[in-house]
C-alpha cells in the first residue's frame, strides 16, 4: 500500500522567513492526520504546497504517489480542500454553491445532484439547502464547505483549521461529522489545527510543527507518553499523617507523592484508572476527601515540552476566517 501523502525534505522560503524548514513525514491511506502548531508555524504554507497552490523551494511532495509539482492535474482530482478562510459564496444558496463546484469537476448533472443531496444530508444542511449562505451561522457555512470539498469524491480531504472561530458546540459537530465521513468512506483526512483538544480527539497521528519544523510526530497517546510525564491528582484530606504518606508511596501505580500543607499531590500514569482505587483506599482508612483536582497530561504539555512555550500564548492573535482576503474563490486550475 502506498502512502496518501509523502513529504520529503520540503522547504519553503519567503524573503523574510523560512516558513517550512526541511519537513519530512508520510500519511497513511485512510488516516486522520493532524498538523498541530501555533500561528505562523507553517501549516497553511504546507497545505498550499500539497494542494498545488504554491511552489516549494526544495524537497518533494507526493499525493497518492503523484508529485505535486509534476502532476498537479492528477493531484487536484484526488484532493478536496477546505481552506482556512471561508470561501463559499454568500450570495448563493448552499445548493448553488455545490452545483457550481460540481460543474467545475465536470460531474454529469444527474450524478452531481445525487451527490449533492447525499452530502447536504450528511452535513445536516438538507433543510436549509435553498437558503442563501449569507443567512448561515459560521458552523453551517463550514459544514457546507466540507460538503463542497467532497463533491468530486476525493481520495484525500485537506482541512486547514476547520473549526477556527467556531463556538465549542459547532466545533463538536464538525468533529463528529468528520469522524462519520471517515467511518463511512475510506477517505484520508489531513487537518491542521492549533487546538490541542481537536488534535487529541480527532487525529490518529499528530505532527507538532513550530517555526516550520516538525518537532514531534506520533499518536496523541504516544506523544503524551513520550514526555514521560504523569497525571497529577491533588487531594485535600481530612487527615494526613506520615503513615498515610507511606501507604500511598507503597501503592504500585503511584509514581510519586508530595505533600503540601494539608493536601497531597499524587503522580500516576492514568488518573481515570487511579481514582476509583484511591477512593476505595481512603474509605478503608476512614479518611474523607475534602477537595479534588486532576491535571491530566494534554497535548499542551507535549507542546510545551518540545517547544518550550505554551500554544495558548500564541492564540491571542487569532486568525478570523470570517473577514479578510481569504483564498481565491475559484478552485485552482479549474475553469467553469
Ligand atoms: N505569501 C507569503 N509571503 C511571505 N510570507 C508568508 C507568506 N505566506 C506565509 N508567510 C509567512 O510564513 C510563515 C508561516 O505562515 P503560515 O500561514 O503557513 O502559518 P500557519 O501555521 O498557517 O499560521 P496560522 O495558524 O496563523 O494560520 C509566517 O511567518 C508567515 O508570515
Ligand atoms: Mg494557517
Amino acid at each position: 500500500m502506498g502512502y496518501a501523502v509523502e513529504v520529503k525534505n520540503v522547504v519553503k522560503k519567503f524573503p523574510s522567513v523560512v516558513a517550512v524548514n526541511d519537513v519530512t513525514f508520510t500519511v497513511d491511506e485512510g488516516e486522520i492526520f493532524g498538523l498541530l502548531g501555533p500561528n505562523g508555524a507553517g501549516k497553511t504554507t504546507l497545505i498550499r504546497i500539497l494542494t498545488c497552490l504554491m511552489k516549494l523551494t526544495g524537497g518533494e511532495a507526493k499525493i497518492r504517489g503523484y508529485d505535486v509539482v509534476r502532476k498537479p492535474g492528477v493531484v487536484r482530482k484526488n484532493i478536496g480542500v477546505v481552506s482556512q478562510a471561508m470561501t463559499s459564496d454568500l450570495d448563493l444558496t448552499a445548493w448553488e454553491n455545490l452545483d457550481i463546484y460540481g460543474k467545475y469537476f465536470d460531474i454529469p448533472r444527474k450524478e452531481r445532484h445525487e451527490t449533492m443531496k447525499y452530502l447536504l444530508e450528511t452535513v445536516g444542511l438538507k433543510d436549509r439547502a435553498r437558503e442563501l449562505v449569507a443567512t448561515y451561522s459560521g458552523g453551517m457555512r463550514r459544514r457546507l464547505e466540507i460538503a463542497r470539498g467532497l463533491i468530486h469524491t476525493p481520495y484525500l480531504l485537506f482541512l486547514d483549521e476547520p473549526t477556527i472561530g467556531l463556538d465549542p458546540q459547532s466545533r463538536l459537530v464538525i468533529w463528529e461529522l468528520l469522524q462519520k465521513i471517515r467511518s463511512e468512506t475510506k477517505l484520508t483526512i489531513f487537518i491542521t489545527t492549533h487546538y490541542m483538544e481537536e488534535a487529541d480527539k480527532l487525529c490518529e497521528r499528530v505532527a507538532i510543527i513550530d517555526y516550520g519544523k516538525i518537532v514531534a510526530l506520533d499518536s496523541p497517546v504516544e506523544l503524551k507518553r513520550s514526555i514521560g510525564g504523569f497525571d497529577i491528582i491533588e487531594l485535600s484530606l481530612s487527615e494526613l499523617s506520615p503513615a498515610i504518606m507511606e501507604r500511598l508511596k507503597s501503592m504500585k501505580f503511584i509514581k510519586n507523592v508530595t505533600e503540601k500543607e494539608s493536601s497531597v499531590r499524587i503522580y500516576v500514569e492514568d488518573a481515570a484508572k487511579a481514582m476509583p482505587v484511591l477512593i476505595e483506599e481512603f474509605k478503608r482508612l476512614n479518611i474523607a476527601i475534602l477537595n479534588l483536582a486532576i491535571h491530566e497530561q494534554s497535548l499542551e504539555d507535549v507542546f510545551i515540552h518540545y517547544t518550550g512555550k505554551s500554544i495558548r500564548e500564541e492564540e491571542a492573535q487569532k486568525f478570523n476566517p470570517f473577514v479578510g482576503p481569504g483564498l481565491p474563490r475559484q478552485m485552482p486550475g479549474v475553469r467553469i
Side-chain angles (χ1 to χ4, degrees):
M1 187 184 79
Y3 292 115
V5 181
E6 257 181 289
V7 173
K8 222 184 268 173
N9 305 110
V10 166
V11 175
K12 178 67 192 182
K13 287 184 184 155
F14 290 118
S16 58
V17 68
V18 183
V20 179
N21 193 353
D22 198 15
V23 163
T24 299
F25 64 88
T26 55
V27 177
D28 293 331
E29 282 189 354
E31 186 175 27
I32 304 189
F33 184 88
L35 199 57
L36 172 71
N39 288 133
K43 305 182 295 296
T44 298
T45 304
L46 195 53
I47 285 228
R48 285 188 178 168
I49 290 168
L50 294 175
T51 56
C52 313
L53 279 167
M54 195 179 257
K55 288 249 149 52
L56 38 70
T57 317
E60 61 172 14
K62 288 179 184 162
I63 304 290
R64 207 179 190 175
Y66 300 108
D67 190 289
V68 296
V69 178
R70 275 182 256 132
K71 301 271 180 206
V74 197
V75 169
R76 282 190 192 111
K77 281 202 184 106
N78 277 283
I79 59 170
V81 186
V82 180
S83 62
Q84 185 167 350
M86 298 218 199
T87 54
S88 49
D89 203 320
L90 292 166
D91 305 325
L92 300 178
T93 65
W95 182 267
E96 289 163 342
N97 266 284
L98 291 184
D99 207 25
I100 288 174
Y101 253 67
K103 283 180 190 166
Y104 288 161
F105 287 100
D106 286 332
I107 307 168
R109 191 169 186 276
K110 190 161 173 280
E111 184 190 333
R112 186 171 78 235
H113 287 180
E114 266 164 28
T115 308
M116 284 161 59
K117 278 185 205 152
Y118 164 75
L119 288 173
L120 284 163
E121 169 102 52
T122 305
V123 302
L125 290 174
K126 194 174 135 223
D127 298 338
R128 305 282 300 265
R130 302 286 178 176
E131 288 175 37
L132 291 184
V133 174
T135 67
Y136 280 19
S137 69
M140 289 167 71
R141 199 169 167 206
R142 244 330 170 221
R143 282 185 271 138
L144 169 62
E145 301 198 354
I146 291 172
R148 193 183 63 181
L150 295 170
I151 192 78
H152 55 304
T153 328
Y155 159 84
L156 166 69
L157 183 67
F158 284 101
L159 300 114
D160 194 2
E161 305 252 12
T163 67
I164 196 165
L166 298 185
D167 60 273
Q169 174 60 22
S170 307
R171 188 168 296 153
L172 214 64
V173 171
I174 301 266
W175 295 351
E176 280 167 9
L177 169 62
L178 292 175
Q179 274 160 339
K180 182 173 148 215
I181 293 169
R182 221 297 295 267
S183 68
E184 286 173 4
T185 63
K186 287 198 194 117
L187 186 71
T188 307
I189 297 180
F190 187 113
I191 178 175
T192 78
T193 185
H194 68 262
Y195 294 119
M196 309 287 167
E197 207 195 340
E198 183 158 281
D200 203 342
K201 292 255 159 69
L202 199 58
C203 302
E204 281 147 324
R205 284 190 312 142
V206 174
I208 296 182
I209 185 167
D210 193 34
Y211 293 118
K213 277 197 171 293
I214 305 273
V215 295
L217 194 165
D218 217 322
S219 66
V221 171
E222 284 304 322
L223 282 173
K224 287 183 238 172
R225 200 170 288 161
S226 74
I227 62 171
F230 299 109
D231 290 349
I232 302 168
I233 301 170
E234 196 167 344
L235 299 173
S236 170
L237 302 168
S238 58
E239 184 196 332
L240 190 55
S241 64
I244 293 166
M245 286 298 283
E246 279 314 307
R247 171 72 194 119
L248 288 172
K249 279 179 191 161
S250 73
M251 293 173 94
K252 255 202 176 140
F253 64 94
I254 295 180
K255 303 297 169 193
N256 193 17
V257 192
T258 58
E259 193 183 338
K260 201 181 150 205
E261 288 155 18
S262 61
S263 73
V264 61
R265 284 167 76 96
I266 301 169
Y267 295 74
V268 295
E269 250 167 31
D270 187 344
K273 280 194 193 137
M275 264 327 285
V277 185
L278 285 171
I279 289 170
E280 269 309 303
E281 182 64 10
F282 288 123
K283 214 161 139 193
R284 199 181 64 79
L285 295 169
N286 213 10
I287 294 170
I289 297 173
L290 306 175
N291 217 330
L292 159 75
I294 295 177
H295 172 75
E296 284 189 43
Q297 287 283 316
S298 70
L299 287 184
E300 175 81 20
D301 300 306
V302 178
F303 189 82
I304 293 169
H305 178 89
Y306 285 108
T307 68
K309 61 176 191 267
S310 161
I311 206 169
R312 288 205 184 106
E313 289 164 20
E314 320 265 342
E315 249 193 282
Q317 17 146 351
K318 249 188 212 164
F319 173 92
N320 184 344
F322 302 99
V323 296
L327 291 176
R329 279 196 174 167
Q330 197 170 320
M331 282 284 282
V334 207
R335 297 174 66 121
I336 307 177

